[in-house]
Amino acid sequence: MFRPTVHYGIMATIQVVIGDELLQRLDRQLDGKAKKRSAFVRGAIEHELRRAEIERAEHEHRQSYLDFPETSDEKADRAL
C-alpha cells in the first residue's frame, strides 16, 4: 500500500459527526495501533482526494479520445 510521507504545516481542527457503529468500527480498526483517529481520518481524506483526482484525469483522457479520435494514419503507425 502506498503511504506517502506528508508534512503538515498549520492544521485546522474540524468536527465530523459519525454514527456510533462507524465509530466502533474505526476504534476496532485502530485497537492496539499507534495511529490515532485524526491520523486515520486524515489519511482516508487524502486517499479519497487522490482517487478522485486520478478518476478525473482518466475521464479527461478518455474524453479527449472521444473528442479527437485517432486518424487512420495514427492507427496504422501504432500497429507497426
Side-chain angles (χ1 to χ4, degrees):
M1 177 179 193
F2 175 70
R3 293 182 187 209
T5 302
V6 179
H7 300 280
Y8 297 100
I10 297 172
M11 299 176 94
T13 300
I14 63 170
Q15 290 184 347
V16 178
V17 178
I18 61 175
D20 288 338
E21 181 183 342
L22 185 57
L23 180 59
Q24 289 173 8
R25 289 172 55 200
L26 173 60
D27 287 343
R28 279 194 304 272
Q29 177 71 24
L30 298 177
D31 187 37
K33 297 180 182 164
K35 193 177 220 182
K36 302 292 182 209
R37 288 176 182 168
S38 59
F40 185 91
V41 171
R42 206 172 23 254
I45 291 170
E46 290 170 350
H47 176 80
E48 181 59 24
L49 291 173
R50 194 175 315 111
R51 187 205 57 76
E53 290 167 0
I54 291 169
E55 186 176 291
R56 187 172 32 259
E58 288 174 345
H59 172 75
E60 289 173 2
H61 185 84
R62 282 189 304 274
Q63 190 61 45
S64 67
Y65 274 98
L66 293 174
D67 294 342
F68 304 100
E70 287 183 302
T71 65
S72 299
D73 290 339
E74 289 170 329
K75 289 179 185 177
D77 288 343
R78 193 167 37 91
L80 297 176

